[in-house]
Amino acid sequence: MNKWLLILLWVAGMTMAQATTLEHYQPYLQPGFDKPRLQLADIEPLIKQYASDPAVTVTELGRSVENRPIYLLKLGQGKKRVLAWSQMHGDEHTATAALFDLLRYTLAPEQQAWREQWFSEITLYLVPMLNPDGAARNSRVNAQGIDINRDALALQSPEGRLLMQLARQIQPDYGFNLHDQNRFHAAGEAPNPATISLLAPAYNAARDINDSRRRAMQLIAHIKPWLDTQIPDHLGRYNDTWSPRSFGDTFAGMGISTVLVEAGGHRADDNRQVARRLNFQLYVAWLNAIASGSYRAAPLSDYEAIPFNRSGGLKDLILKNLQVRVADTDAVLDIGVNFHTEGDSYARIHELGDLSGYGAYHLFDVTGLRYQQGRAYPLSEPLLLDDQRYQQLLRQGYTHFSGDAKLLQRQTRLPVLVNPLRPTQSAPQLRQGATFLLLNSQGEVVQVLLNGQLLHLANLELKNPLGT
Ligand SMILES: [Zn+2]
């Protein structure tokens, strides 16, 4: 190989390496977006701000069912057209945050050279928050109850119609279809959450590969080695069954090289900030790759090497080797617990028995401890519940309260259950609330599982609190 070409490649490699460090991106994260939900009111002031930046053209794409504005932001003037849309499912906001990180990064004065480089090659169309009504009520569907991502054919929702009209009008070469997936997807056989899942969706039932789909696969293959360094064994491939009602699959059929990005869970990361930062970096990497065309050298084998997601391969909590007594017989088993974030938000026992094939966000070996049903403390007079009083009650075997909740004055940071829907039983049962006592061999209560959170009674340490 030519010596100068080698030096050039080395310098390009260095630049890539520097530009992919966390420190490089951290300062550009949009402040205030590390939270469990994002709604229109969170992004609208920023959009209005960007409207006065000469580098951004902001228009109102249209209105949602409930008359909320849906915005379109346009950057660059290149021939290659890229359309990215987020939050078509109202309760999936991770990528919306990442799109605003990208905007902040792109428009920073020190990024001028980089910006001009891709602005001359690419026109980028962003629709952050396609489903503001769903975002307002934290629901997947729109105000009509329609899953917009199953509406690509019938176009019964105004939001779906707007996205399709936009795609027909601008005829993008590339589409970034940005979602969140449930946190129970494992990255292949690994006992880890799929923090990022990617897919080049099929355009027919045979899952054929034409040039358009090959490009999408290569965009994914191009960044796979880098993602492996960032989240080893936390990368998955989303189910590639052809789903013609979905926008990704329909757009793929229209010749748009579409990439599905699913932001997933990560340990000790309630608001999916790991997936958010990776999304942001992926967008930058893809803009570079599309501008230069470099991704076309990526081998499809790197795409094929990404393991398919294992649905349900993760649980929120696993307790291993718990002693239980069922029908006068002792046994040792594992207990898997999942939180239900929709509806009543109770943690429930999800599976019993050998859970060695599963991963968990929190896993504790409780060898030597025995399951015991908790008792209900009847509320018949006012009770001041501070940590000390709660500790006493738990030692006496009370895990929850029954009666008039107004009599309970909570002065504790610990989870408190009043009149739980599915109280514990004498032995662990599937779908029962995940609240019970753990006793040592002397019969003393040493730990308590309180709505899926493990509490050490000696020091009231709540081990790895779950959820938000
Ligand atoms: Zn989604």
Side-chain angles (χ1 to χ4, degrees):
M1 197 184 279
N2 179 307
K3 185 177 86 175
W4 292 110
L5 185 59
L6 269 175
I7 290 171
L8 189 71
L9 283 175
W10 179 77
V11 172
M14 284 297 288
T15 316
M16 274 292 281
Q18 281 162 358
T20 52
T21 57
L22 179 56
E23 293 71 29
H24 178 77
Y25 287 90
Q26 203 76 36
Y28 296 98
L29 297 178
Q30 176 62 46
F33 278 13
D34 178 358
K35 56 185 194 174
R37 292 173 62 178
L38 283 183
Q39 304 177 57
L40 188 61
D42 295 302
I43 65 166
E44 217 169 15
L46 291 170
I47 291 174
K48 301 227 156 109
Q49 225 171 294
Y50 285 129
S52 63
D53 191 311
V56 189
T57 307
V58 175
T59 50
E60 194 181 295
L61 183 62
R63 293 264 164 163
S64 67
V65 174
E66 291 179 332
N67 204 34
R68 291 187 174 88
I70 297 166
Y71 293 101
L72 172 67
L73 287 75
K74 182 182 164 199
L75 298 91
Q77 56 278 314
K79 279 213 271 296
K80 298 163 184 167
R81 293 175 302 277
V82 179
L83 170 60
W85 67 98
S86 70
Q87 220 166 338
M88 72 191 310
H89 293 140
D91 56 350
E92 301 176 5
H93 74 273
T94 303
T96 302
L99 287 177
F100 282 92
D101 299 337
L102 175 71
L103 280 165
R104 204 156 176 259
Y105 181 79
T106 304
L107 299 169
E110 64 273 21
Q111 300 301 337
Q112 187 186 355
W114 176 75
R115 178 170 71 229
E116 283 174 359
Q117 209 181 336
W118 73 257
F119 269 26
S120 64
E121 294 290 331
I122 293 173
T123 305
L124 176 63
Y125 299 87
L126 302 179
V127 182
M129 199 177 289
L130 182 67
N131 181 4
D133 297 349
R137 44 171 71 74
N138 201 30
S139 78
R140 175 181 176 88
V141 296
N142 78 348
Q144 299 161 297
I146 292 178
D147 182 337
I148 299 168
N149 205 25
R150 300 292 179 272
D151 193 34
L153 296 181
L155 299 175
Q156 293 169 335
S157 66
E159 298 88 355
R161 285 195 291 276
L162 288 170
L163 183 61
M164 183 56 79
Q165 277 163 15
L166 177 65
R168 286 191 181 131
Q169 182 200 329
I170 65 175
Q171 300 189 348
D173 304 291
Y174 304 89
F176 298 166
N177 184 12
L178 308 174
H179 291 257
D180 281 45
Q181 65 185 356
N182 83 49
R183 66 186 181 280
F184 303 120
H185 286 300
E189 293 308 307
N192 299 320
T195 304
I196 295 286
S197 288
L198 300 167
L199 177 72
Y203 64 91
N204 64 10
R207 291 172 249 194
D208 290 331
I209 302 172
N210 58 6
D211 185 57
S212 165
R213 188 171 182 221
R214 181 175 293 108
R215 285 171 182 270
M217 289 173 156
Q218 285 183 303
L219 277 175
I220 292 170
H222 175 74
I223 49 75
K224 197 248 180 197
W226 170 75
L227 268 178
D228 282 342
T229 68
Q230 300 292 302
I231 44 165
D233 299 319
H234 288 73
L235 175 64
R237 194 164 19 140
Y238 207 76
N239 183 337
D240 68 349
T241 307
W242 184 49
S243 166
R245 294 184 303 153
S246 302
F247 271 91
D249 304 57
T250 295
F251 281 0
M254 289 162 60
I256 304 167
S257 297
T258 306
V259 178
L260 169 72
V261 184
E262 296 275 356
H266 203 75
R267 291 188 180 88
D269 180 26
D270 290 342
N271 292 337
R272 301 200 176 182
Q273 295 304 292
V274 174
R276 168 190 171 181
R277 194 254 305 165
L278 292 170
N279 260 259
F280 167 27
Q281 290 187 252
L282 280 178
Y283 309 157
V284 173
W286 279 334
L287 288 172
N288 286 333
I290 289 170
S292 69
S294 61
Y295 75 95
R296 300 254 43 193
L300 287 193
S301 55
D302 269 351
Y303 176 81
E304 305 287 351
I306 302 172
F308 279 108
N309 276 348
R310 187 160 49 105
S311 178
L314 259 283
K315 300 199 185 293
D316 278 331
L317 170 82
I318 290 178
L319 298 181
K320 293 199 73 77
N321 303 313
L322 181 65
Q323 293 174 24
V324 301
R325 192 165 177 82
V326 182
D328 296 328
T329 308
D330 287 323
V332 172
L333 49 75
D334 304 339
I335 292 188
V337 168
N338 282 351
F339 277 85
H340 293 254
T341 47
E342 287 173 11
D344 56 29
S345 78
Y346 277 111
R348 302 218 174 101
I349 295 177
H350 193 255
E351 194 161 350
L352 294 162
D354 175 11
L355 300 184
S356 53
Y358 290 98
Y361 287 91
H362 305 286
L363 189 148
F364 302 111
D365 190 331
V366 292
T367 298
L369 299 184
R370 187 162 58 80
Y371 173 98
Q372 186 172 297
Q373 176 181 20
R375 292 192 285 159
Y377 185 88
L379 293 167
S380 51
E381 55 188 61
L383 174 69
L384 175 70
L385 192 69
D386 57 14
D387 283 356
Q388 200 186 359
R389 181 75 178 114
Y390 202 7
Q391 191 178 32
Q392 286 171 352
L393 292 175
L394 290 165
R395 277 194 211 284
Q396 293 163 22
Y398 294 106
T399 53
H400 54 288
F401 300 85
S402 62
D404 184 358
K406 289 198 287 291
L407 292 173
L408 192 67
Q409 195 187 339
R410 298 182 194 198
Q411 288 192 0
T412 174
R413 65 194 158 81
L414 303 171
V416 176
L417 283 93
V418 184
N419 301 317
L421 282 181
R422 294 162 193 271
T424 60
Q425 299 175 36
S426 60
Q429 304 278 327
L430 289 175
R431 289 174 292 283
Q432 164 199 315
T435 297
F436 52 81
L437 308 164
L438 293 97
L439 277 56
N440 66 12
S441 56
Q442 283 88 50
E444 299 160 334
V445 181
V446 288
Q447 297 184 39
V448 185
L449 194 68
L450 280 176
N451 196 28
Q453 304 182 48
L454 197 62
L455 177 72
H456 270 240
L457 260 195
N459 54 10
L460 292 187
E461 183 196 356
L462 198 60
K463 282 183 117 178
N464 292 313
L466 289 166
T468 50

